[in-house]
Amino acid sequence: MRKKIVAGNWKMNKTLAEGVQLINEVKELLAKQTPKQSPAELGVVFGTPFITLATAAELVKDNAYLSVAAQNCYTKESGAYTGETAVGMIKAVGVSNVIIGHSERREYFNESNQMLAEKVDIILKNGLTPIFCCGERLETRNEGKHFDWIKQQIEESLFHLSAEEFGKVVIAYEPIWAIGTGVTASTEQAQEVHAFIRSILVAKYGAKVADDTTILYGGSCNAANAKELFACADVDGGLIGGASLKAQDFVTIITSF
Ligand code: PGA
């Protein structure tokens, strides 16, 4: 059965000291509110700013549920790319996931589906897990074109992968209109798109791969609505922005399954 994941995306929030405090608080709360699932069945990810990654990786080492994600990486192994960070460097400090294709990166940093295909490749080459974000704008949904849009994002960034490679990818569906807005997709809207994503995976890679793929929901998912979202058949957890910055909220979400 596919793994459930609750991943926090801190975005550009928390200093190193604040991040350490948050991770320690989450660990303390998790020790008291242990999830029903085993660490093989449920993963908890901290998507921290780069400056916090190495320390965060040290802090999570002693807890089998926990791992760390970078929020971006570059497409090259090393070299003259001022300001960028290579996947090998991320891996070397003990980080095992990289979030890519977040709508904020697509919008503010011009990340294209083609560039994300290169990022997926280099992440997999280094043996890390890509958490690949996709999702539509409100206008696209209102025009009824959101399924085509999401399909194209997935096809252009992921469908060059072999079935074996694809088996290492986590997908996060994040409708842009729900991110940071307080407007969550309804359970019907989330389930409908998640089921659609799984159907295109069945068509491309077959039922087994599709069935094993973790598909997260993101966009104003919080302690109050996580339970009903996670109860949807094809929603395997969440990518959590704002609510991942508060330890108790994040742990409530983690224990919502
Ligand atoms: P939000 O962000 O939970 O604050 O809406 C989610 C995300 O952007 O990953």
Side-chain angles (χ1 to χ4, degrees):
M1 202 44 199
R2 55 187 176 260
K3 190 168 179 168
K4 308 222 177 279
I5 297 174
V6 176
N9 174 13
W10 295 4
K11 311 191 180 186
M12 200 173 72
N13 294 294
K14 302 282 178 194
T15 62
L16 174 60
E18 289 165 350
V20 167
Q21 192 185 339
L22 176 56
I23 291 172
N24 282 331
E25 282 172 13
V26 170
K27 286 174 73 174
E28 278 168 34
L29 288 169
L30 273 181
K32 288 183 223 144
Q33 301 166 238
T34 316
K36 284 189 228 99
Q37 299 80 4
S38 71
E41 296 162 331
L42 169 68
V44 177
V45 181
F46 295 102
T48 82
F50 275 98
I51 214 138
T52 304
L53 289 178
T55 310
E58 279 297 316
L59 285 175
V60 304
K61 259 185 182 168
D62 61 353
N63 186 316
Y65 284 105
L66 308 180
S67 66
V68 177
Q71 298 173 17
N72 182 31
C73 65
Y74 196 49
T75 55
K76 306 281 192 250
E77 294 282 3
S78 65
Y81 304 102
T82 303
E84 291 297 326
T85 307
V87 179
M89 300 169 184
I90 294 167
K91 181 182 185 177
V93 296
V95 171
S96 48
N97 315 275
V98 186
I99 299 168
I100 53 164
H102 192 280
S103 59
E104 288 148 18
R105 294 216 56 88
R106 292 175 187 263
E107 180 174 350
Y108 307 137
F109 304 98
N110 301 317
E111 294 200 349
S112 64
N113 291 343
Q114 288 69 26
M115 181 194 268
L116 293 168
E118 289 181 50
K119 291 193 177 187
V120 169
D121 286 343
I122 201 152
I123 293 166
L124 291 175
K125 191 172 164 207
N126 280 275
L128 274 68
T129 301
I131 301 176
F132 174 82
C133 306
C134 57
E136 81 285 357
R137 293 169 188 279
L138 189 56
E139 308 88 84
T140 310
R141 173 170 280 265
N142 289 343
E143 289 166 10
K145 295 184 179 148
H146 50 299
F147 292 116
D148 289 342
W149 176 263
I150 293 160
K151 186 168 183 225
Q152 190 176 353
Q153 288 182 319
I154 292 175
E155 278 177 351
E156 292 186 359
S157 299
L158 300 177
F159 275 9
H160 62 288
L161 299 174
S162 68
E164 194 195 337
E165 289 167 335
F166 189 87
K168 297 177 180 125
V169 175
V170 171
I171 292 181
Y173 167 58
E174 298 206 307
I176 299 173
W177 45 272
I179 296 177
T181 57
V183 181
T184 317
S186 66
T187 50
E188 291 78 18
Q189 287 171 323
Q191 171 56 27
E192 185 183 37
V193 174
H194 282 235
F196 169 74
I197 292 172
R198 209 175 300 284
S199 76
I200 62 175
L201 303 186
V202 172
K204 169 77 181 170
Y205 292 110
K208 167 88 174 87
V209 171
D211 226 33
D212 288 348
T213 302
T214 299
I215 307 177
L216 309 179
Y217 168 79
S220 298
C221 182
N222 58 39
N225 61 28
K227 212 184 185 85
E228 56 174 20
L229 284 162
F230 294 179
C232 298
D234 288 290
V235 176
D236 308 313
L239 182 55
I240 319 294
S244 74
L245 300 173
K246 294 183 201 126
Q248 182 57 69
D249 286 7
F250 192 50
V251 172
T252 301
I253 294 168
I254 294 164
T255 52
S256 288
F257 289 105

